[in-house]
Amino acid sequence: MDTTIFLFLLQDGIINGAVYALVAIATVLVFAVTRVILVPQGEFVAFTALTIAALENGLMPSTPWLLLALGCLAAASELIRHFRELTARRVLRIVLFDLALPIALLLLTRTLAPLKLGQVSNILLAIALITPMGPMIYRIAFEPIAHSSVLVLLMAAFGVHFSLMGLGLLFFGPEGTGTAPLSSASFSLGDLVITGQSVAVLIVTALLLVLFALFFGRTLLGKALRACSSNRIGARLVGIPTSAAGQIAFALAALLGAVSGVLVGPLMTVFYDSGFLIGLKAFVAAILGGLVSYPLTVLAALGVGIAEALFSFWASNFKEVLVFTLIIPVLAWRSLVAPHAEETE
């Protein structure tokens, strides 16, 4: 390895680490608010990239149909669970969010897809299709068992993951695809060639992290989510609805996953199941960050990306295994120094 190769590997590691940082931040957020380890977070990434690829080709993506199916399941779940306490307001909200919104997005996508309106339109439409899936999935799979143990929630998360993978294969097919880069420009910095896509990934990630910090530090909604993550009972006692907090956390996670899909689409060929590997690497970063600290999670994600790039040079056949083994010493250390206590409400 010489300096030039190292710089190229470092650039690839930072770019991949930036994407992992967004996915890992979403994982930490959902776990802090709901105690759910969101295993299917990577599906939001893959489905977004596949949606944009279909729109770029002027084809009608299957994402609106998937959104409508999730909306119908969410509506049925809520109607059954709250049948004896239904109000006109709740029924109206179910009809508007679970049925009217997916149908409207389905009609909008069917109208706009053949027109090939351009990259910005495709990205915004894909994000609009993916983001509502977050709260729908929460209401279908996790809200009915919100007070269960972390282990039960983890098992449910794996069930959701495998279900979404099956739906992804059904709706998107087994073929992989990529998307057009956000920028086709490139420039040289010494021996290092930097692409516009790499710069776009870093700018978008940095901007989202700043907005994320401002949201949690300056807005009432962000402070309410922080309260739920600190003490759910205390949050309920002061009037913060934890169910709504869970839906908002899942919506933000889906939004971050969608943006990650926009960024990762031009970097790799995306299949219906590609999100699982991305989500696992982000989970490694979240574990290294302790599943509590957002700054540490971002730094850990960058470290995971750089380590993956270096492992791909030294031992490409085992790079995935080596990346995942990074959590072993961290877990061993935490098991020795962290106090062991039973989970309490």
Side-chain angles (χ1 to χ4, degrees), residues 37-115:
I37 298 176
L38 192 56
V39 180
Q41 175 65 28
E43 271 62 61
F44 297 135
V45 180
F47 292 174
T48 302
L50 293 171
T51 301
I52 294 176
L55 292 173
E56 287 177 349
N57 293 321
L59 303 175
M60 171 69 179
S62 300
T63 318
W65 295 107
L66 176 59
L67 179 63
L68 181 59
L70 292 175
C72 292
L73 289 175
S77 174
E78 188 155 353
L79 288 173
I80 292 172
R81 288 189 298 112
H82 301 285
F83 179 75
R84 296 183 181 277
E85 52 191 46
L86 285 176
T87 62
R89 182 178 180 181
R90 170 168 280 179
V91 172
L92 179 61
R93 180 178 61 82
I94 292 173
V95 171
L96 290 178
F97 181 77
D98 296 331
L99 301 176
L101 177 62
I103 292 173
L105 289 173
L106 172 63
L107 297 176
L108 180 64
T109 305
R110 176 172 289 181
T111 302
L112 297 181
L115 301 180

Side-chain angles (χ1 to χ4, degrees), residues 106-221:
L106 172 63
L107 297 176
L108 180 64
T109 305
R110 176 172 289 181
T111 302
L112 297 181
L115 301 180
K116 294 186 178 182
L117 295 180
Q119 193 172 46
V120 174
S121 174
N122 295 339
I123 290 172
L124 293 178
L125 184 56
I127 292 176
L129 289 169
I130 296 297
T131 302
M133 292 184 184
M136 289 177 180
I137 290 173
Y138 175 76
R139 288 164 54 214
I140 294 169
F142 299 106
E143 187 175 11
I145 57 172
H147 301 292
S148 301
S149 66
V150 174
L151 179 59
V152 172
L153 293 172
L154 177 61
M155 294 171 64
F158 271 104
V160 173
H161 160 68
F162 288 119
S163 299
L164 287 179
M165 281 186 60
L167 291 173
L169 177 60
L170 174 65
F171 282 97
F172 296 104
E175 296 83 11
T177 187
T179 61
L182 299 177
S183 173
S184 58
S186 63
F187 59 93
S188 299
L189 188 62
D191 294 330
L192 186 64
V193 177
I194 301 176
T195 63
Q197 176 65 27
S198 301
V199 176
V201 169
L202 294 179
I203 291 175
V204 172
T205 301
L207 180 60
L208 279 178
L209 292 178
V210 171
L211 292 175
F212 191 86
L214 292 176
F215 171 75
F216 281 97
R218 301 291 181 86
T219 67
L220 183 61
L221 181 57

Side-chain angles (χ1 to χ4, degrees), residues 241-267:
T242 53
S243 174
Q247 294 185 52
I248 294 170
F250 268 70
L252 291 175
L255 175 61
L256 289 174
V259 174
S260 301
V262 173
L263 299 178
V264 81
L267 300 177

Side-chain angles (χ1 to χ4, degrees), residues 172-342:
F172 296 104
E175 296 83 11
T177 187
T179 61
L182 299 177
S183 173
S184 58
S186 63
F187 59 93
S188 299
L189 188 62
D191 294 330
L192 186 64
V193 177
I194 301 176
T195 63
Q197 176 65 27
S198 301
V199 176
V201 169
L202 294 179
I203 291 175
V204 172
T205 301
L207 180 60
L208 279 178
L209 292 178
V210 171
L211 292 175
F212 191 86
L214 292 176
F215 171 75
F216 281 97
R218 301 291 181 86
T219 67
L220 183 61
L221 181 57
K223 293 178 180 178
L225 290 179
R226 287 172 57 192
C228 289
S229 64
S230 299
N231 190 318
R232 284 174 294 138
I233 289 181
R236 285 201 298 267
L237 290 176
V238 298
I240 298 174
T242 53
S243 174
Q247 294 185 52
I248 294 170
F250 268 70
L252 291 175
L255 175 61
L256 289 174
V259 174
S260 301
V262 173
L263 299 178
V264 81
L267 300 177
M268 59 181 289
T269 301
V270 179
F271 297 84
Y272 73 95
D273 58 349
S274 296
F276 183 52
L277 201 56
I278 297 173
L280 276 182
K281 293 173 184 176
F283 178 69
V284 171
I287 290 294
L288 296 179
L291 278 174
V292 290
S293 172
Y294 297 117
L296 282 180
T297 299
V298 173
L299 293 177
L302 293 175
V304 168
I306 294 172
E308 180 187 15
L310 295 176
F311 291 152
S312 68
F313 178 80
W314 285 317
S316 60
N317 291 334
F318 302 99
K319 68 172 184 175
E320 314 293 357
V321 177
L322 293 173
V323 168
F324 297 140
T325 55
L326 291 176
I327 66 174
I328 294 178
V330 175
L331 293 177
W333 177 76
R334 288 179 62 87
S335 68
L336 294 175
V337 301
H340 295 271
E342 295 295 328

